[in-house]
Amino acid sequence: MSLLKWVDFPHIGDARGSLVILEGSKTIPFEMKRAYYIFGTQESVARGFHAHRQLQQVAVCVSGRCRMILDDGKQRIDEWLDSPTKGLIIDAMVWHEMHDFSPDCVLLVFASEHYDEGDYIRDYEDFTAHIK
Ligand code: TYD
């Protein structure tokens, strides 16, 4: 299965600007239970550095940009998130890191489950051991 999976969000544009529509189990390929967003990230800060055992997520930069690294233990990809109409799917058991946040970056994430620290794998060696 491909590691790089984008979702194109339906949007309506007119002379006033743009409106993006996101619906659970439709545009977002799961029923959303949680959303969170990251903003005001300081220069040279990187975040993430974990994988989730079960959680599915979709990440979108609604403003600005950041660079996302996805790693499934077989391949590692590096992609800019810089469009408010394109979401990147972060599947379960995918190590992810976010780098190079622009000062205006607002990274919005939709998640399939409520917050559960027990679902995190925060050590890369632990992650590769789980993949095997
Ligand atoms: P974390 O997921 O570790 O983010 P990052 O890897 O980008 O630093 O979350 C940072 C902190 O916020 C951590 O203490 C857990 C807490 N947190 C919640 O309490 N609920 C949430 O939904 C999320 C995403 C994080």
Side-chain angles (χ1 to χ4, degrees):
M1 225 190 346
S2 169
L3 185 54
L4 186 60
K5 287 184 272 185
W6 292 103
V7 184
D8 285 317
F9 298 152
H11 54 284
I12 296 167
D14 59 29
R16 298 170 296 175
S18 298
L19 184 155
V20 175
I21 306 111
L22 303 172
E23 293 185 277
S25 303
K26 289 185 177 175
T27 341
I28 303 294
F30 47 79
E31 204 56 58
M32 298 176 247
K33 285 199 183 152
R34 178 166 56 107
Y36 60 91
Y37 51 97
I38 292 168
F39 67 98
T41 307
Q42 299 299 301
E43 209 181 323
S44 63
V45 165
R47 303 195 63 138
F49 298 91
H50 60 252
H52 290 279
R53 297 166 204 276
Q54 304 283 344
L55 190 72
Q56 290 173 275
Q57 303 189 94
V58 173
V60 54
C61 265
V62 293
S63 165
R65 66 179 198 163
C66 70
R67 194 167 56 83
M68 179 79 79
I69 291 176
L70 297 181
D71 178 344
D72 64 1
K74 297 188 196 88
Q75 53 169 328
R76 194 173 175 90
I77 57 172
D78 194 318
E79 285 287 318
W80 284 101
L81 264 62
D82 57 6
S83 167
T85 64
K86 273 179 78 176
L88 184 63
I89 296 181
I90 307 169
D91 274 326
M93 292 309 287
V94 172
W95 184 265
H96 49 285
E97 302 172 10
M98 291 84 82
H99 297 263
D100 301 325
F101 289 84
S102 61
D104 59 344
C105 180
V106 180
L107 179 65
L108 174 61
V109 183
F110 301 99
S112 62
E113 301 297 335
H114 294 143
Y115 175 71
D116 172 13
E117 183 59 37
D119 187 61
Y120 281 73
I121 302 173
R122 292 191 181 273
D123 178 80
Y124 188 76
E125 283 182 15
D126 229 14
F127 164 69
T128 52
H130 273 81
I131 294 285
K132 285 184 184 135

Coordinates of all heavy atoms in Angstrom, one line a residue, residues 51 53 71-74 93-94 121 123-132:
A51 N 4.6 7.2 16.4 CA 3.6 6.5 15.6 C 2.5 6.2 16.5 O 2.6 6.2 17.7 CB 4.2 5.3 14.9
R53 N -0.5 3.1 17.3 CA -0.9 1.7 17.1 C -2.1 1.6 16.3 O -2.2 0.8 15.4 CB -1.0 1.0 18.4 CG 0.2 1.0 19.3 CD -0.1 0.5 20.7 NE 1.0 1.0 21.6 CZ 2.1 0.4 21.8 NH1 2.3 -0.8 21.3 NH2 3.0 0.9 22.6
D71 N 7.1 7.6 7.6 CA 8.0 6.4 7.6 C 7.3 5.2 8.1 O 6.8 5.2 9.2 CB 9.2 6.8 8.5 CG 10.2 5.7 8.6 OD1 10.0 4.5 8.2 OD2 11.3 6.0 9.1
D72 N 7.1 4.2 7.2 CA 6.4 3.0 7.6 C 7.4 1.8 7.9 O 7.0 0.7 8.0 CB 5.4 2.5 6.6 CG 6.0 2.2 5.2 OD1 7.3 2.2 5.1 OD2 5.3 1.8 4.3
G73 N 8.7 2.2 8.0 CA 9.7 1.1 8.3 C 10.3 0.6 7.1 O 11.3 0.0 7.1
K74 N 9.6 0.8 5.9 CA 10.1 0.3 4.6 C 10.6 1.5 3.8 O 11.6 1.4 3.2 CB 9.0 -0.5 3.9 CG 8.6 -1.7 4.6 CD 7.7 -2.6 3.7 CE 6.9 -3.6 4.5 NZ 5.6 -3.1 5.0
M93 N 0.5 3.0 12.6 CA 1.8 2.4 12.4 C 2.6 3.1 11.3 O 3.3 2.5 10.6 CB 1.7 0.9 12.2 CG 1.2 0.1 13.4 SD 2.1 0.5 14.9 CE 3.7 -0.3 14.6
V94 N 2.5 4.4 11.3 CA 3.4 5.2 10.4 C 4.0 6.3 11.3 O 3.4 7.1 12.0 CB 2.6 5.9 9.3 CG1 3.4 6.9 8.6 CG2 2.0 4.9 8.3
I121 N 3.6 5.2 20.1 CA 4.9 4.6 20.2 C 5.9 5.8 19.9 O 5.9 6.4 18.9 CB 5.1 3.5 19.1 CG1 4.1 2.4 19.2 CG2 6.5 2.9 19.2 CD1 4.1 1.4 18.1
D123 N 9.3 5.8 20.6 CA 10.7 5.5 20.5 C 10.8 4.8 19.1 O 10.1 3.8 18.8 CB 11.1 4.5 21.6 CG 12.5 4.1 21.4 OD1 13.4 4.9 21.8 OD2 12.8 3.0 20.9
Y124 N 11.8 5.3 18.3 CA 11.9 4.8 16.9 C 12.3 3.3 16.8 O 11.8 2.6 16.0 CB 12.8 5.7 16.1 CG 12.8 5.3 14.6 CD1 11.8 5.7 13.8 CD2 13.8 4.5 14.0 CE1 11.7 5.3 12.4 CE2 13.8 4.2 12.7 CZ 12.7 4.6 11.9 OH 12.6 4.2 10.6
E125 N 13.2 2.9 17.7 CA 13.6 1.5 17.7 C 12.4 0.6 18.1 O 12.3 -0.5 17.6 CB 14.8 1.3 18.6 CG 16.0 1.8 18.0 CD 17.3 1.6 18.8 OE1 17.3 0.9 19.8 OE2 18.3 2.3 18.4
D126 N 11.6 1.1 19.1 CA 10.4 0.4 19.5 C 9.5 0.2 18.3 O 8.9 -0.8 18.0 CB 9.7 1.3 20.5 CG 9.3 0.5 21.7 OD1 9.8 -0.6 21.9 OD2 8.5 1.1 22.5
F127 N 9.4 1.3 17.5 CA 8.5 1.3 16.3 C 8.9 0.3 15.3 O 8.1 -0.6 14.9 CB 8.5 2.7 15.7 CG 7.9 2.8 14.3 CD1 6.6 2.6 14.1 CD2 8.8 3.0 13.2 CE1 6.1 2.6 12.8 CE2 8.3 3.1 11.9 CZ 6.9 2.9 11.7
T128 N 10.2 0.3 15.0 CA 10.7 -0.7 14.0 C 10.6 -2.1 14.5 O 10.3 -3.0 13.7 CB 12.2 -0.4 13.5 OG1 13.0 -0.3 14.7 CG2 12.3 0.9 12.7
A129 N 10.7 -2.3 15.8 CA 10.5 -3.7 16.4 C 9.1 -4.1 16.2 O 8.8 -5.3 15.9 CB 11.0 -3.6 17.8
H130 N 8.1 -3.2 16.4 CA 6.7 -3.5 16.2 C 6.4 -3.8 14.8 O 5.4 -4.6 14.5 CB 5.8 -2.3 16.6 CG 5.5 -2.3 18.1 ND1 6.4 -1.8 19.0 CD2 4.4 -2.7 18.8 CE1 5.8 -2.0 20.2 NE2 4.6 -2.5 20.1
I131 N 7.0 -3.2 13.8 CA 6.8 -3.4 12.4 C 7.1 -4.9 12.0 O 6.5 -5.5 11.1 CB 7.6 -2.4 11.5 CG1 7.1 -1.0 11.8 CG2 7.6 -2.7 10.1 CD1 5.8 -0.6 11.2
K132 N 8.2 -5.4 12.6 CA 8.7 -6.7 12.2 C 7.8 -7.8 12.6 O 7.1 -7.7 13.5 CB 10.1 -6.9 12.8 CG 11.2 -6.0 12.0 CD 12.6 -6.3 12.5 CE 13.5 -5.3 11.8 NZ 14.4 -4.7 12.7

